[in-house]
Amino acid sequence: MNGSQVTIDHVSKHFGSFHALNDINFTIRQGEFFSLLGPSGCGKTTLLRIIAGFEFPDDGAVLFDDQNIIPLQPNKRPSNTVFQSYALFPHMSVYENVAFPLRLKKIDKKIIDQKVKEYLSLVQLEQHMYKKPNQLSGGQRQRVAIARALINEPKVLLLDEPLSALDAKLRSNLLVELDRLHDKIGITFIYVTHDQSEALAVSDRIAVMNSGNVLQVGTPFEIYESPATQFVAQFIGETNLFESTVVNCESYKVPGKADIEHMVTLNVPALGMQARLKGDTQATKEEDKNILVTDYEHTDEGQKVAFTVRPEKIRITTEEPDVKGRKDINVFKGVVEEPVYTGFQSKFYVRLENGTIVKVFKQHTNYLDDGPEIEWKDTVYISWSAEDGYIVEDINK
């Protein structure tokens, strides 16, 4: 690999009384496609500007491999930045824009010509090299900016929301090209975005940020399937999130599986005021707000937690599901408040008998396998496995 390992070593930054970054500390691996993800104002661009050298931290250091680069000016750092606004010279051709960094270094013209054509080929723009930026589409201009950043052969490429000015389809296509480029050149990419679908699609790992803090660092799978906090669960994709209390934890043998699962019984007031169906028996009054979830972290009886279950993990049917002998299946009855058809899937907003709305996504696979069509005001049953729910942070923290 040609990239550098980047260590963010306890970095803090304040603008007056505003805390932009609060003791940020993590490591980006060599050659990784790493995303900084979060809403506007969370600190992700400030952190990228510190790595680039356009801002300086109040505390902490940034290391490329073992070298602290904070004392270095931006042009002395082994990194280049691709901006949202392209920052191309309008009076120069595509060729001259890409050649500009090498001309500053007074490199031989033959080498410049060879490298410019090489990098324009890399971004598939060799046929447009003599055009001016205003003759290109937005996606083509961004590819020129990427080629210009790469021609210096940096150890780290910094990308500050580079696709946000593009329309959705073009953004999707260019994202695939970015991923292809990363795989081909092998340097470290640090990608800033507020779009969680972008980050999930291309990242090796993601740092989710909010209010100047890093809430979780992990692979897209870990971030989506095992969110560390309520904020992460809600920001990444769509989910159903409920406050709850741990009733007890017990070992349970799931039918058809060799391993013993540790099941937590949660008291969830938002799902209460109705009997939860347990196989062929009705729950008692004391159990009517209880659900089961697999315990991946240690939880204590009486602990206040948040419980989340993704809409696509929930099954929706017009007939009561047969869950006899399956204590690990949670089943509730409700009415379709709002069906939303989106092409590849339908979204259902199901109102339970106590008034709580639960989101359910149903993927469209094969017409004959979809079963009876579910419509507005239909009485339905929703169900999910204890393994598909997840306990996140203590709600009192």
Side-chain angles (χ1 to χ4, degrees):
M1 288 186 183
N2 303 315
S4 287
Q5 175 177 285
V6 179
T7 302
I8 312 301
D9 186 14
H10 296 284
V11 168
S12 294
K13 178 69 178 178
H14 304 83
F15 296 100
S17 60
F18 177 67
H19 291 212
L21 296 172
N22 300 311
D23 194 31
I24 303 300
N25 190 57
F26 60 86
T27 296
I28 300 168
R29 298 165 188 154
Q30 180 188 22
E32 200 168 29
F33 198 128
F34 191 94
S35 290
L36 303 174
L37 173 65
S40 298
C42 71
K44 58 188 185 296
T45 295
T46 299
L47 180 56
L48 195 81
R49 288 176 60 81
I50 288 173
I51 298 170
F54 304 132
E55 298 282 356
F56 291 92
D58 298 326
D59 296 295
V62 175
L63 284 73
F64 281 17
D65 298 322
D66 296 322
Q67 180 188 13
N68 182 11
I69 59 157
I70 294 300
L72 302 179
Q73 292 299 311
N75 63 325
K76 300 296 183 183
R77 300 184 183 193
S79 62
N80 268 33
T81 306
V82 177
F83 300 98
Q84 176 184 338
S85 59
Y86 318 133
L88 300 177
F89 299 113
H91 62 288
M92 291 184 181
S93 68
V94 167
Y95 182 101
E96 289 301 325
N97 264 283
V98 176
F100 184 76
L102 300 185
R103 295 203 191 284
L104 285 180
K105 295 180 177 180
K106 302 187 185 304
I107 289 174
D108 182 85
K109 287 183 179 180
K110 287 185 178 179
I111 297 176
I112 290 177
D113 185 66
Q114 175 191 335
K115 282 191 164 293
V116 169
K117 290 176 179 176
E118 176 188 342
Y119 279 92
L120 285 177
S121 175
L122 194 66
V123 297
Q124 301 175 5
L125 284 176
E126 58 267 50
Q127 293 181 345
H128 303 277
M129 67 172 69
Y130 299 117
K131 291 182 179 179
K132 296 289 179 62
N134 65 2
Q135 296 175 290
L136 304 176
S137 69
Q140 288 171 331
R141 276 178 277 176
Q142 194 57 281
R143 281 188 277 162
V144 175
I146 292 167
R148 186 178 61 184
L150 290 174
I151 203 167
N152 267 332
E153 298 182 348
K155 296 286 188 181
V156 179
L157 185 66
L158 308 172
L159 301 114
D160 187 9
E161 305 224 33
L163 310 183
S164 59
L166 307 176
D167 65 65
K169 190 169 184 179
L170 188 57
R171 190 163 62 241
S172 178
N173 291 338
L174 195 51
L175 195 65
V176 173
E177 290 189 33
L178 263 181
D179 197 26
R180 175 187 62 82
L181 269 175
H182 174 259
D183 292 341
K184 190 166 186 177
I185 62 180
I187 67 172
T188 306
F189 277 28
I190 304 178
Y191 185 86
V192 162
T193 182
H194 64 275
D195 188 320
Q196 42 95 5
S197 62
E198 286 184 6
L200 291 173
V202 296
S203 305
D204 295 314
R205 286 191 305 149
I206 301 168
V208 183
M209 300 181 65
N210 191 40
S211 301
N213 298 298
V214 172
L215 304 181
Q216 186 174 0
V217 176
T219 65
F221 181 86
E222 290 167 344
I223 295 289
Y224 187 82
E225 298 289 351
S226 310
T229 71
Q230 292 186 54
F231 178 86
V232 175
Q234 291 176 303
F235 187 75
I236 306 296
E238 295 187 58
T239 198
N240 297 285
L241 189 71
F242 307 105
E243 295 183 358
S244 54
T245 305
V246 177
V247 176
N248 60 51
C249 183
E250 60 180 328
S251 297
Y252 176 65
K253 178 72 168 60
V254 179
K257 292 197 173 185
D259 297 333
I260 300 293
E261 301 285 358
H262 295 285
M263 294 288 179
V264 170
T265 300
L266 296 180
N267 182 270
V268 187
L271 299 177
M273 297 175 62
Q274 64 173 17
R276 173 181 162 274
L277 304 174
K278 289 185 172 181
D280 56 351
T281 62
Q282 294 286 326
T284 65
K285 286 273 188 181
E286 291 74 24
E287 295 175 320
D288 68 357
K289 300 175 185 178
N290 292 351
I291 64 164
L292 284 165
V293 60
T294 302
D295 187 22
Y296 295 104
E297 303 288 341
H298 176 71
T299 51
D300 299 315
E301 187 175 327
Q303 184 177 345
K304 301 290 185 183
V305 297
F307 164 75
T308 182
V309 59
R310 298 285 184 186
E312 71 274 12
K313 307 287 189 183
I314 303 175
R315 186 174 180 232
I316 182 169
T317 57
T318 53
E319 299 292 330
E320 181 181 337
D322 181 8
V323 293
K324 292 179 180 178
R326 292 295 301 273
K327 184 181 177 183
D328 59 308
I329 304 296
N330 301 288
V331 183
F332 290 90
K333 187 177 178 181
V335 173
V336 176
E337 186 78 5
E338 188 69 41
V340 180
Y341 177 78
T342 62
F344 69 96
Q345 69 177 6
S346 287
K347 300 181 179 183
F348 298 99
Y349 295 82
V350 178
R351 184 179 296 277
L352 305 184
E353 291 176 349
N354 69 329
T356 295
I357 298 290
V358 178
K359 289 181 287 188
V360 183
F361 296 169
K362 184 179 182 182
Q363 188 85 7
H364 298 304
T365 51
N366 181 282
Y367 178 78
L368 295 176
D369 294 335
D370 269 352
E373 185 177 353
I374 297 173
E375 299 178 338
W376 179 57
K377 294 302 181 184
D378 278 354
T379 296
V380 293
Y381 294 86
I382 62 172
S383 57
W384 67 89
S385 165
E387 289 187 317
D388 288 330
Y390 200 79
I391 295 173
V392 294
E393 68 182 3
D394 189 321
I395 62 171
N396 293 326
K397 288 184 181 178

mmCIF file of all heavy atoms in Angstrom, residues 84-116:
data_model
loop_
_atom_site.group_PDB
_atom_site.id
_atom_site.type_symbol
_atom_site.label_atom_id
_atom_site.label_comp_id
_atom_site.label_asym_id
_atom_site.label_seq_id
_atom_site.Cartn_x
_atom_site.Cartn_y
_atom_site.Cartn_z
ATOM 1 N N GLN A 84 -15.643 20.499 -2.207
ATOM 2 C CA GLN A 84 -16.997 20.420 -2.745
ATOM 3 C C GLN A 84 -17.158 21.330 -3.963
ATOM 4 O O GLN A 84 -17.861 20.999 -4.919
ATOM 5 C CB GLN A 84 -17.988 20.829 -1.650
ATOM 6 C CG GLN A 84 -19.428 20.895 -2.085
ATOM 7 C CD GLN A 84 -20.340 21.399 -0.971
ATOM 8 O OE1 GLN A 84 -20.000 21.324 0.209
ATOM 9 N NE2 GLN A 84 -21.479 21.928 -1.335
ATOM 10 N N SER A 85 -16.476 22.481 -3.969
ATOM 11 C CA SER A 85 -16.651 23.497 -5.006
ATOM 12 C C SER A 85 -15.717 23.325 -6.201
ATOM 13 O O SER A 85 -15.632 24.219 -7.050
ATOM 14 C CB SER A 85 -16.427 24.883 -4.398
ATOM 15 O OG SER A 85 -15.106 24.963 -3.854
ATOM 16 N N TYR A 86 -15.002 22.217 -6.264
ATOM 17 C CA TYR A 86 -14.080 21.879 -7.362
ATOM 18 C C TYR A 86 -12.795 22.702 -7.328
ATOM 19 O O TYR A 86 -11.704 22.172 -7.477
ATOM 20 C CB TYR A 86 -14.716 22.018 -8.760
ATOM 21 C CG TYR A 86 -16.114 21.496 -8.900
ATOM 22 C CD1 TYR A 86 -17.101 22.238 -9.519
ATOM 23 C CD2 TYR A 86 -16.461 20.238 -8.408
ATOM 24 C CE1 TYR A 86 -18.393 21.759 -9.650
ATOM 25 C CE2 TYR A 86 -17.755 19.738 -8.534
ATOM 26 C CZ TYR A 86 -18.717 20.509 -9.153
ATOM 27 O OH TYR A 86 -19.987 20.035 -9.288
ATOM 28 N N ALA A 87 -12.902 24.053 -7.182
ATOM 29 C CA ALA A 87 -11.744 24.955 -7.102
ATOM 30 C C ALA A 87 -10.836 24.827 -8.323
ATOM 31 O O ALA A 87 -9.605 24.831 -8.208
ATOM 32 C CB ALA A 87 -10.954 24.699 -5.815
ATOM 33 N N LEU A 88 -11.429 24.725 -9.512
ATOM 34 C CA LEU A 88 -10.655 24.668 -10.748
ATOM 35 C C LEU A 88 -10.408 26.089 -11.274
ATOM 36 O O LEU A 88 -11.183 27.014 -11.009
ATOM 37 C CB LEU A 88 -11.398 23.859 -11.811
ATOM 38 C CG LEU A 88 -11.717 22.398 -11.468
ATOM 39 C CD1 LEU A 88 -12.518 21.763 -12.602
ATOM 40 C CD2 LEU A 88 -10.455 21.598 -11.187
ATOM 41 N N PHE A 89 -9.334 26.250 -12.040
ATOM 42 C CA PHE A 89 -9.054 27.533 -12.679
ATOM 43 C C PHE A 89 -9.898 27.624 -13.956
ATOM 44 O O PHE A 89 -9.694 26.846 -14.905
ATOM 45 C CB PHE A 89 -7.571 27.645 -13.022
ATOM 46 C CG PHE A 89 -6.671 27.582 -11.818
ATOM 47 C CD1 PHE A 89 -5.814 26.507 -11.631
ATOM 48 C CD2 PHE A 89 -6.676 28.605 -10.876
ATOM 49 C CE1 PHE A 89 -4.983 26.440 -10.528
ATOM 50 C CE2 PHE A 89 -5.854 28.547 -9.760
ATOM 51 C CZ PHE A 89 -5.005 27.467 -9.588
ATOM 52 N N PRO A 90 -10.849 28.563 -14.023
ATOM 53 C CA PRO A 90 -11.786 28.598 -15.158
ATOM 54 C C PRO A 90 -11.130 28.936 -16.496
ATOM 55 O O PRO A 90 -11.639 28.546 -17.553
ATOM 56 C CB PRO A 90 -12.799 29.672 -14.753
ATOM 57 C CG PRO A 90 -12.092 30.522 -13.752
ATOM 58 C CD PRO A 90 -11.153 29.604 -13.025
ATOM 59 N N HIS A 91 -9.997 29.669 -16.467
ATOM 60 C CA HIS A 91 -9.337 30.093 -17.698
ATOM 61 C C HIS A 91 -8.385 29.027 -18.247
ATOM 62 O O HIS A 91 -7.867 29.171 -19.353
ATOM 63 C CB HIS A 91 -8.557 31.390 -17.471
ATOM 64 C CG HIS A 91 -7.453 31.252 -16.464
ATOM 65 N ND1 HIS A 91 -7.699 31.115 -15.101
ATOM 66 C CD2 HIS A 91 -6.099 31.207 -16.608
ATOM 67 C CE1 HIS A 91 -6.549 31.010 -14.462
ATOM 68 N NE2 HIS A 91 -5.561 31.066 -15.353
ATOM 69 N N MET A 92 -8.160 27.958 -17.476
ATOM 70 C CA MET A 92 -7.241 26.898 -17.903
ATOM 71 C C MET A 92 -8.019 25.699 -18.440
ATOM 72 O O MET A 92 -9.133 25.416 -17.999
ATOM 73 C CB MET A 92 -6.373 26.428 -16.732
ATOM 74 C CG MET A 92 -5.356 27.413 -16.242
ATOM 75 S SD MET A 92 -4.358 26.625 -14.942
ATOM 76 C CE MET A 92 -3.253 27.980 -14.506
ATOM 77 N N SER A 93 -7.405 24.970 -19.355
ATOM 78 C CA SER A 93 -7.994 23.723 -19.846
ATOM 79 C C SER A 93 -7.917 22.651 -18.770
ATOM 80 O O SER A 93 -7.234 22.812 -17.745
ATOM 81 C CB SER A 93 -7.245 23.252 -21.096
ATOM 82 O OG SER A 93 -5.923 22.856 -20.747
ATOM 83 N N VAL A 94 -8.612 21.538 -19.028
ATOM 84 C CA VAL A 94 -8.524 20.388 -18.126
ATOM 85 C C VAL A 94 -7.067 19.956 -17.974
ATOM 86 O O VAL A 94 -6.577 19.722 -16.856
ATOM 87 C CB VAL A 94 -9.389 19.226 -18.671
ATOM 88 C CG1 VAL A 94 -9.071 17.922 -17.930
ATOM 89 C CG2 VAL A 94 -10.864 19.560 -18.562
ATOM 90 N N TYR A 95 -6.360 19.896 -19.089
ATOM 91 C CA TYR A 95 -4.952 19.484 -19.091
ATOM 92 C C TYR A 95 -4.137 20.402 -18.177
ATOM 93 O O TYR A 95 -3.365 19.929 -17.321
ATOM 94 C CB TYR A 95 -4.399 19.523 -20.515
ATOM 95 C CG TYR A 95 -2.968 19.061 -20.652
ATOM 96 C CD1 TYR A 95 -2.685 17.785 -21.116
ATOM 97 C CD2 TYR A 95 -1.907 19.907 -20.339
ATOM 98 C CE1 TYR A 95 -1.368 17.353 -21.259
ATOM 99 C CE2 TYR A 95 -0.590 19.491 -20.454
ATOM 100 C CZ TYR A 95 -0.327 18.208 -20.918
ATOM 101 O OH TYR A 95 0.975 17.792 -21.034
ATOM 102 N N GLU A 96 -4.305 21.720 -18.347
ATOM 103 C CA GLU A 96 -3.502 22.678 -17.582
ATOM 104 C C GLU A 96 -3.884 22.675 -16.104
ATOM 105 O O GLU A 96 -3.033 22.871 -15.235
ATOM 106 C CB GLU A 96 -3.656 24.082 -18.170
ATOM 107 C CG GLU A 96 -2.987 24.262 -19.521
ATOM 108 C CD GLU A 96 -1.489 23.993 -19.468
ATOM 109 O OE1 GLU A 96 -0.862 24.306 -18.449
ATOM 110 O OE2 GLU A 96 -0.958 23.440 -20.454
ATOM 111 N N ASN A 97 -5.151 22.468 -15.799
ATOM 112 C CA ASN A 97 -5.565 22.377 -14.387
ATOM 113 C C ASN A 97 -4.869 21.220 -13.686
ATOM 114 O O ASN A 97 -4.373 21.362 -12.566
ATOM 115 C CB ASN A 97 -7.080 22.209 -14.293
ATOM 116 C CG ASN A 97 -7.822 23.507 -14.079
ATOM 117 O OD1 ASN A 97 -7.845 24.049 -12.976
ATOM 118 N ND2 ASN A 97 -8.418 24.027 -15.159
ATOM 119 N N VAL A 98 -4.831 20.066 -14.345
ATOM 120 C CA VAL A 98 -4.221 18.882 -13.740
ATOM 121 C C VAL A 98 -2.700 19.037 -13.688
ATOM 122 O O VAL A 98 -2.049 18.595 -12.735
ATOM 123 C CB VAL A 98 -4.624 17.608 -14.515
ATOM 124 C CG1 VAL A 98 -3.915 16.384 -13.949
ATOM 125 C CG2 VAL A 98 -6.136 17.418 -14.457
ATOM 126 N N ALA A 99 -2.128 19.709 -14.691
ATOM 127 C CA ALA A 99 -0.669 19.882 -14.749
ATOM 128 C C ALA A 99 -0.170 20.925 -13.758
ATOM 129 O O ALA A 99 1.029 20.929 -13.403
ATOM 130 C CB ALA A 99 -0.264 20.291 -16.165
ATOM 131 N N PHE A 100 -1.055 21.796 -13.285
ATOM 132 C CA PHE A 100 -0.641 22.948 -12.478
ATOM 133 C C PHE A 100 0.244 22.595 -11.273
ATOM 134 O O PHE A 100 1.295 23.228 -11.074
ATOM 135 C CB PHE A 100 -1.878 23.730 -12.025
ATOM 136 C CG PHE A 100 -1.553 24.988 -11.275
ATOM 137 C CD1 PHE A 100 -1.117 26.121 -11.953
ATOM 138 C CD2 PHE A 100 -1.660 25.043 -9.891
ATOM 139 C CE1 PHE A 100 -0.805 27.282 -11.259
ATOM 140 C CE2 PHE A 100 -1.349 26.191 -9.193
ATOM 141 C CZ PHE A 100 -0.920 27.323 -9.877
ATOM 142 N N PRO A 101 -0.100 21.610 -10.449
ATOM 143 C CA PRO A 101 0.759 21.301 -9.292
ATOM 144 C C PRO A 101 2.184 20.896 -9.692
ATOM 145 O O PRO A 101 3.148 21.220 -8.985
ATOM 146 C CB PRO A 101 0.031 20.137 -8.615
ATOM 147 C CG PRO A 101 -1.378 20.238 -9.066
ATOM 148 C CD PRO A 101 -1.307 20.759 -10.467
ATOM 149 N N LEU A 102 2.321 20.195 -10.826
ATOM 150 C CA LEU A 102 3.647 19.772 -11.263
ATOM 151 C C LEU A 102 4.433 20.933 -11.862
ATOM 152 O O LEU A 102 5.659 21.003 -11.728
ATOM 153 C CB LEU A 102 3.518 18.634 -12.291
ATOM 154 C CG LEU A 102 2.818 17.352 -11.800
ATOM 155 C CD1 LEU A 102 2.873 16.279 -12.881
ATOM 156 C CD2 LEU A 102 3.445 16.838 -10.513
ATOM 157 N N ARG A 103 3.737 21.875 -12.519
ATOM 158 C CA ARG A 103 4.426 23.053 -13.047
ATOM 159 C C ARG A 103 4.995 23.897 -11.917
ATOM 160 O O ARG A 103 6.072 24.496 -12.049
ATOM 161 C CB ARG A 103 3.475 23.890 -13.910
ATOM 162 C CG ARG A 103 3.012 23.169 -15.171
ATOM 163 C CD ARG A 103 2.562 24.168 -16.227
ATOM 164 N NE ARG A 103 1.873 23.511 -17.342
ATOM 165 C CZ ARG A 103 2.474 22.828 -18.299
ATOM 166 N NH1 ARG A 103 3.785 22.655 -18.275
ATOM 167 N NH2 ARG A 103 1.759 22.275 -19.283
ATOM 168 N N LEU A 104 4.269 23.963 -10.780
ATOM 169 C CA LEU A 104 4.783 24.698 -9.617
ATOM 170 C C LEU A 104 6.100 24.106 -9.123
ATOM 171 O O LEU A 104 6.963 24.820 -8.606
ATOM 172 C CB LEU A 104 3.758 24.688 -8.480
ATOM 173 C CG LEU A 104 2.539 25.605 -8.611
ATOM 174 C CD1 LEU A 104 1.649 25.442 -7.385
ATOM 175 C CD2 LEU A 104 2.965 27.069 -8.765
ATOM 176 N N LYS A 105 6.247 22.803 -9.277
ATOM 177 C CA LYS A 105 7.469 22.115 -8.833
ATOM 178 C C LYS A 105 8.564 22.135 -9.901
ATOM 179 O O LYS A 105 9.641 21.579 -9.689
ATOM 180 C CB LYS A 105 7.141 20.659 -8.476
ATOM 181 C CG LYS A 105 6.219 20.511 -7.285
ATOM 182 C CD LYS A 105 5.943 19.030 -7.016
ATOM 183 C CE LYS A 105 5.082 18.844 -5.793
ATOM 184 N NZ LYS A 105 4.813 17.405 -5.534
ATOM 185 N N LYS A 106 8.238 22.776 -11.050
ATOM 186 C CA LYS A 106 9.199 22.907 -12.155
ATOM 187 C C LYS A 106 9.698 21.544 -12.647
ATOM 188 O O LYS A 106 10.890 21.336 -12.884
ATOM 189 C CB LYS A 106 10.380 23.802 -11.747
ATOM 190 C CG LYS A 106 9.950 25.205 -11.318
ATOM 191 C CD LYS A 106 11.126 26.104 -11.089
ATOM 192 C CE LYS A 106 10.710 27.455 -10.556
ATOM 193 N NZ LYS A 106 9.745 28.157 -11.392
ATOM 194 N N ILE A 107 8.775 20.614 -12.759
ATOM 195 C CA ILE A 107 9.101 19.276 -13.259
ATOM 196 C C ILE A 107 9.211 19.332 -14.788
ATOM 197 O O ILE A 107 8.553 20.140 -15.449
ATOM 198 C CB ILE A 107 8.036 18.264 -12.795
ATOM 199 C CG1 ILE A 107 8.180 18.043 -11.287
ATOM 200 C CG2 ILE A 107 8.128 16.942 -13.530
ATOM 201 C CD1 ILE A 107 7.116 17.194 -10.672
ATOM 202 N N ASP A 108 10.046 18.490 -15.345
ATOM 203 C CA ASP A 108 10.287 18.429 -16.787
ATOM 204 C C ASP A 108 8.967 18.262 -17.558
ATOM 205 O O ASP A 108 8.079 17.506 -17.166
ATOM 206 C CB ASP A 108 11.229 17.265 -17.099
ATOM 207 C CG ASP A 108 11.562 17.182 -18.575
ATOM 208 O OD1 ASP A 108 12.488 17.886 -19.001
ATOM 209 O OD2 ASP A 108 10.878 16.414 -19.277
ATOM 210 N N LYS A 109 8.847 18.975 -18.696
ATOM 211 C CA LYS A 109 7.611 18.986 -19.475
ATOM 212 C C LYS A 109 7.193 17.601 -19.956
ATOM 213 O O LYS A 109 6.004 17.279 -19.993
ATOM 214 C CB LYS A 109 7.775 19.915 -20.684
ATOM 215 C CG LYS A 109 7.780 21.398 -20.322
ATOM 216 C CD LYS A 109 7.860 22.254 -21.572
ATOM 217 C CE LYS A 109 7.832 23.734 -21.201
ATOM 218 N NZ LYS A 109 7.916 24.595 -22.424
ATOM 219 N N LYS A 110 8.160 16.772 -20.325
ATOM 220 C CA LYS A 110 7.834 15.428 -20.800
ATOM 221 C C LYS A 110 7.209 14.589 -19.689
ATOM 222 O O LYS A 110 6.265 13.836 -19.926
ATOM 223 C CB LYS A 110 9.086 14.750 -21.339
ATOM 224 C CG LYS A 110 9.560 15.291 -22.679
ATOM 225 C CD LYS A 110 10.739 14.484 -23.209
ATOM 226 C CE LYS A 110 11.166 15.007 -24.573
ATOM 227 N NZ LYS A 110 12.339 14.239 -25.111
ATOM 228 N N ILE A 111 7.760 14.720 -18.488
ATOM 229 C CA ILE A 111 7.213 13.982 -17.331
ATOM 230 C C ILE A 111 5.817 14.493 -17.003
ATOM 231 O O ILE A 111 4.902 13.715 -16.715
ATOM 232 C CB ILE A 111 8.148 14.099 -16.115
ATOM 233 C CG1 ILE A 111 9.494 13.439 -16.435
ATOM 234 C CG2 ILE A 111 7.507 13.464 -14.883
ATOM 235 C CD1 ILE A 111 10.531 13.580 -15.355
ATOM 236 N N ILE A 112 5.644 15.832 -17.078
ATOM 237 C CA ILE A 112 4.326 16.417 -16.820
ATOM 238 C C ILE A 112 3.307 15.871 -17.810
ATOM 239 O O ILE A 112 2.208 15.442 -17.431
ATOM 240 C CB ILE A 112 4.381 17.958 -16.900
ATOM 241 C CG1 ILE A 112 5.160 18.527 -15.705
ATOM 242 C CG2 ILE A 112 2.962 18.544 -16.927
ATOM 243 C CD1 ILE A 112 5.334 20.034 -15.742
ATOM 244 N N ASP A 113 3.666 15.868 -19.088
ATOM 245 C CA ASP A 113 2.751 15.384 -20.120
ATOM 246 C C ASP A 113 2.372 13.930 -19.893
ATOM 247 O O ASP A 113 1.193 13.547 -19.996
ATOM 248 C CB ASP A 113 3.406 15.543 -21.494
ATOM 249 C CG ASP A 113 2.451 15.176 -22.616
ATOM 250 O OD1 ASP A 113 1.444 15.889 -22.802
ATOM 251 O OD2 ASP A 113 2.700 14.152 -23.285
ATOM 252 N N GLN A 114 3.354 13.117 -19.536
ATOM 253 C CA GLN A 114 3.111 11.700 -19.286
ATOM 254 C C GLN A 114 2.164 11.509 -18.104
ATOM 255 O O GLN A 114 1.211 10.724 -18.173
ATOM 256 C CB GLN A 114 4.445 11.007 -19.024
ATOM 257 C CG GLN A 114 4.322 9.539 -18.629
ATOM 258 C CD GLN A 114 5.644 8.967 -18.129
ATOM 259 O OE1 GLN A 114 6.714 9.461 -18.487
ATOM 260 N NE2 GLN A 114 5.544 7.948 -17.302
ATOM 261 N N LYS A 115 2.427 12.259 -17.015
ATOM 262 C CA LYS A 115 1.632 12.079 -15.794
ATOM 263 C C LYS A 115 0.212 12.631 -15.963
ATOM 264 O O LYS A 115 -0.760 12.045 -15.474
ATOM 265 C CB LYS A 115 2.337 12.737 -14.601
ATOM 266 C CG LYS A 115 3.486 11.900 -14.055
ATOM 267 C CD LYS A 115 3.971 12.455 -12.738
ATOM 268 C CE LYS A 115 4.826 11.437 -12.001
ATOM 269 N NZ LYS A 115 4.058 10.266 -11.559
ATOM 270 N N VAL A 116 0.081 13.772 -16.623
ATOM 271 C CA VAL A 116 -1.253 14.340 -16.817
ATOM 272 C C VAL A 116 -2.131 13.369 -17.598
ATOM 273 O O VAL A 116 -3.280 13.104 -17.222
ATOM 274 C CB VAL A 116 -1.173 15.699 -17.544
ATOM 275 C CG1 VAL A 116 -2.569 16.149 -17.991
ATOM 276 C CG2 VAL A 116 -0.566 16.753 -16.632
#
